[in-house]
Protein backbone atom coordinates (compact mmCIF):
# COMPACT_ATOMS: atom_id res chain seq x y z
CA UNK A 1 0.00 0.00 0.00
CA UNK A 2 1.29 3.44 -0.95
CA UNK A 3 1.51 5.90 1.94
CA UNK A 4 2.00 9.65 1.97
CA UNK A 5 5.10 9.26 4.12
CA UNK A 6 7.07 6.37 5.57
CA UNK A 7 8.39 8.44 8.46
CA UNK A 8 7.84 6.94 11.89
CA UNK A 9 6.87 9.03 14.91
CA UNK A 10 10.51 8.78 16.00
CA UNK A 11 11.66 10.07 12.58
CA UNK A 12 9.27 13.02 12.81
CA UNK A 13 10.57 13.87 16.28
CA UNK A 14 14.17 13.55 15.07
CA UNK A 15 13.46 15.92 12.16
CA UNK A 16 12.53 18.57 14.73
CA UNK A 17 15.94 18.10 16.42
CA UNK A 18 18.14 18.18 13.29
CA UNK A 19 21.27 20.27 13.84
CA UNK A 20 23.57 19.07 11.03
CA UNK A 21 23.20 17.76 7.47
CA UNK A 22 24.34 14.36 8.83
CA UNK A 23 21.32 14.34 11.18
CA UNK A 24 19.05 14.99 8.21
CA UNK A 25 20.62 12.21 6.16
CA UNK A 26 20.29 9.81 9.09
CA UNK A 27 16.52 10.33 9.23
CA UNK A 28 16.13 10.16 5.44
CA UNK A 29 18.10 6.93 5.16
CA UNK A 30 16.05 5.39 7.96
CA UNK A 31 12.84 6.22 6.08
CA UNK A 32 14.26 5.06 2.75
CA UNK A 33 15.35 1.73 4.30
CA UNK A 34 11.69 1.09 5.18
CA UNK A 35 10.62 1.98 1.65
CA UNK A 36 13.34 -0.20 0.11
CA UNK A 37 11.79 -3.33 1.65
CA UNK A 38 8.49 -2.72 -0.15
CA UNK A 39 7.81 -3.81 -3.74
CA UNK A 40 8.40 -1.41 -6.59
CA UNK A 41 10.88 1.30 -7.40
CA UNK A 42 11.63 3.92 -4.77
CA UNK A 43 11.28 7.21 -6.63
CA UNK A 44 12.72 10.58 -5.66
CA UNK A 45 10.86 13.54 -7.15
CA UNK A 46 12.90 16.41 -8.51
CA UNK A 47 11.99 19.83 -9.77
CA UNK A 48 12.17 23.51 -9.10
CA UNK A 49 11.80 24.66 -5.51
CA UNK A 50 13.96 27.75 -4.97
CA UNK A 51 15.09 28.44 -8.57
CA UNK A 52 13.11 28.21 -11.78
CA UNK A 53 9.68 26.72 -12.21
CA UNK A 54 6.69 28.89 -11.43
CA UNK A 55 8.76 31.81 -10.13
CA UNK A 56 8.28 31.48 -6.38
CA UNK A 57 9.10 28.89 -3.74
CA UNK A 58 5.46 28.86 -2.55
CA UNK A 59 4.10 28.10 -6.04
CA UNK A 60 6.81 25.52 -6.72
CA UNK A 61 6.16 23.78 -3.39
CA UNK A 62 2.44 23.69 -4.14
CA UNK A 63 3.15 21.96 -7.46
CA UNK A 64 5.54 19.56 -5.68
CA UNK A 65 2.76 18.62 -3.23
CA UNK A 66 0.28 18.02 -6.06
CA UNK A 67 2.80 16.00 -8.07
CA UNK A 68 3.77 13.76 -5.15
CA UNK A 69 0.12 13.16 -4.25
CA UNK A 70 -0.79 12.36 -7.86
CA UNK A 71 2.14 9.97 -8.24
CA UNK A 72 1.15 8.25 -5.01
CA UNK A 73 -2.49 8.07 -6.17
CA UNK A 74 -1.15 6.48 -9.38
CA UNK A 75 0.49 3.80 -7.15
CA UNK A 76 4.07 5.00 -7.42
CA UNK A 77 6.23 4.54 -4.31
CA UNK A 78 7.46 8.13 -4.04
CA UNK A 79 9.81 9.40 -1.35
CA UNK A 80 7.97 12.42 -0.02
CA UNK A 81 10.69 15.02 0.54
CA UNK A 82 8.28 17.69 1.76
CA UNK A 83 8.45 16.79 5.49
CA UNK A 84 12.18 17.54 5.27
CA UNK A 85 11.72 21.15 4.11
CA UNK A 86 11.24 22.72 7.58
CA UNK A 87 14.42 20.97 8.79
CA UNK A 88 16.27 22.17 5.66
CA UNK A 89 15.09 25.73 6.33
CA UNK A 90 16.26 25.50 9.97
CA UNK A 91 19.62 24.06 8.92
CA UNK A 92 20.11 26.88 6.43
CA UNK A 93 19.76 29.32 9.35
CA UNK A 94 22.02 27.24 11.62
CA UNK A 95 24.67 27.11 8.88
CA UNK A 96 24.26 30.89 8.46
CA UNK A 97 24.20 30.65 4.69
CA UNK A 98 22.07 31.97 1.88
CA UNK A 99 23.79 29.53 -0.46
CA UNK A 100 21.50 26.58 -1.11
CA UNK A 101 24.28 24.47 -2.64
CA UNK A 102 24.83 22.75 0.71
CA UNK A 103 21.40 21.10 0.30
CA UNK A 104 22.50 19.45 -2.93
CA UNK A 105 26.02 18.61 -1.81
CA UNK A 106 25.34 17.54 1.79
CA UNK A 107 21.84 16.06 1.59
CA UNK A 108 20.54 15.07 -1.84
CA UNK A 109 23.85 13.93 -3.34
CA UNK A 110 24.56 11.30 -0.64
CA UNK A 111 20.96 10.07 -0.92
CA UNK A 112 21.04 9.81 -4.72
CA UNK A 113 24.42 8.06 -4.67
CA UNK A 114 23.23 5.58 -2.03
CA UNK A 115 21.53 2.36 -3.04
CA UNK A 116 18.24 3.58 -1.54
CA UNK A 117 16.81 5.40 -4.57
CA UNK A 118 15.90 3.45 -7.72
CA UNK A 119 14.44 6.18 -9.90
CA UNK A 120 13.97 9.91 -10.19
CA UNK A 121 10.85 11.68 -11.45
CA UNK A 122 11.40 15.13 -12.92
CA UNK A 123 8.58 17.66 -12.67
CA UNK A 124 7.89 19.85 -15.69
CA UNK A 125 10.17 22.89 -15.61
CA UNK A 126 13.01 20.98 -13.94
CA UNK A 127 15.54 22.26 -16.47
CA UNK A 128 15.12 25.76 -15.02
CA UNK A 129 16.24 24.56 -11.59
CA UNK A 130 19.94 24.40 -10.71
CA UNK A 131 19.25 21.73 -8.10
CA UNK A 132 17.14 19.55 -10.42
CA UNK A 133 19.80 19.74 -13.15
CA UNK A 134 22.39 18.68 -10.55
CA UNK A 135 20.15 15.78 -9.47
CA UNK A 136 19.61 14.78 -13.10
CA UNK A 137 23.38 14.52 -13.69
CA UNK A 138 23.81 12.47 -10.50
CA UNK A 139 20.91 10.18 -11.31
CA UNK A 140 22.27 9.48 -14.78
CA UNK A 141 25.76 8.91 -13.35
CA UNK A 142 24.31 6.32 -10.98
CA UNK A 143 22.25 4.71 -13.73
CA UNK A 144 18.89 5.37 -12.09
CA UNK A 145 15.64 5.05 -13.98
CA UNK A 146 14.82 8.58 -15.12
CA UNK A 147 11.15 9.58 -15.41
CA UNK A 148 10.24 12.88 -17.06
CA UNK A 149 6.69 13.80 -16.12
CA UNK A 150 4.58 15.42 -18.87
CA UNK A 151 3.81 19.15 -18.65
CA UNK A 152 0.20 18.70 -17.55
CA UNK A 153 0.75 15.83 -15.12
CA UNK A 154 -0.85 17.96 -12.39
Amino acid sequence: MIRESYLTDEDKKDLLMVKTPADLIFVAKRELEVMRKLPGLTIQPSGPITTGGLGSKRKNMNRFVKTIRKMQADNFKVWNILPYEPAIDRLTKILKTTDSHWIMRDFYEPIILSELIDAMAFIDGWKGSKGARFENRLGKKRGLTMIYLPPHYV
Side-chain angles (χ1 to χ4, degrees), residues 36 40-46 71 76-77 112 114-122 135-149:
R36 189 84 170 131
L41 298 174
T42 299
I43 303 170
Q44 177 179 326
S46 181
M71 289 184 75
F76 288 103
K77 186 176 62 166
I112 293 167
S114 75
E115 297 294 318
L116 298 171
I117 298 290
D118 302 306
M120 298 192 73
F122 290 87
E135 291 175 334
N136 187 269
R137 287 189 302 274
L138 282 178
K140 285 180 177 177
K141 176 181 174 182
R142 226 206 87 228
L144 298 177
T145 298
M146 306 300 267
I147 301 164
Y148 300 95
L149 298 171

Side-chain angles (χ1 to χ4, degrees), residues 21 24-25 28-29 32 44-47 49-50 57 61 64 68 79-89 100-114 116-117 120 129 131-132 134-136 138-139 142 144:
L24 196 60
I25 289 171
K29 285 187 173 181
L32 288 164
Q44 177 179 326
S46 181
I49 293 179
T50 56
K57 184 173 180 177
M61 289 299 289
F64 240 91
I68 289 170
W79 178 40
N80 186 352
I81 63 169
L82 299 175
Y84 294 84
E85 281 301 309
I88 288 170
D89 289 343
S100 62
H101 288 101
W102 78 266
I103 301 165
M104 293 295 119
R105 182 186 62 245
D106 298 336
F107 181 56
Y108 288 114
E109 183 173 1
I111 296 296
I112 293 167
L113 295 179
S114 75
L116 298 171
I117 298 290
M120 298 192 73
S129 165
F134 176 79
E135 291 175 334
N136 187 269
L138 282 178
R142 226 206 87 228
L144 298 177

